[in-house]
Amino acid sequence: ADIAAFQPPPARALAALMAPIEALIRPDITGLEHVTETPSLYVMNHSLLGVEMPSFIHALYSRKGVFLRGLADHMHFSLPHGEVLRALGAVDGTRENVDVLMGARQNVL
């Protein structure tokens, strides 16, 4: 499959998916005014076992129009949630996949 051909889900669909999660954790994301349209490599800590990542991805997409393609350890794709990650644009976190995504001017997390 051509990972660069992925199309992000509609913003409304992502908002509906995120509503229950964000009602529970109530994210407070600051600094979005510094985000530009230039494709970038974003780096994030897994401070809450990754629970905070979807809210960050949603905030960038809904407030700035920037959709992040997540890099995930290959073991995630063998677990039940792997198909959900793939449907939301995540790819196996390899150097080759980063090269493809960055070469296609996509934002990578």
Side-chain angles (χ1 to χ4, degrees):
D2 179 11
I3 63 170
F6 174 82
Q7 292 296 309
R12 282 187 166 163
L14 191 56
L17 182 66
M18 290 303 303
I21 297 167
E22 292 181 351
L24 289 174
I25 63 172
R26 300 179 193 253
D28 181 19
I29 299 170
T30 60
L32 291 179
E33 68 276 8
H34 302 291
V35 174
T36 68
E37 294 180 10
T38 304
S40 301
L41 174 64
Y42 291 79
V43 179
M44 185 173 199
N45 257 344
H46 291 60
S47 55
L48 298 172
L49 299 173
V51 172
E52 69 284 358
M53 277 191 242
S55 292
F56 180 67
I57 292 169
H58 179 233
L60 278 179
Y61 192 35
S62 65
R63 298 182 203 172
K64 302 295 284 188
V66 172
F67 189 80
L68 298 177
R69 300 291 305 276
L71 301 174
D73 187 279
H74 63 275
M75 69 90 182
H76 287 289
F77 298 108
S78 66
L79 299 172
H81 66 278
E83 286 306 310
V84 173
L85 293 176
R86 211 178 296 285
L88 294 174
V91 298
D92 196 11
T94 65
R95 291 178 184 184
E96 294 80 15
N97 284 344
V98 172
D99 288 345
V100 168
L101 295 177
M102 296 300 290
R105 302 190 49 74
Q106 296 187 27
N107 293 283
V108 178
L109 172 62

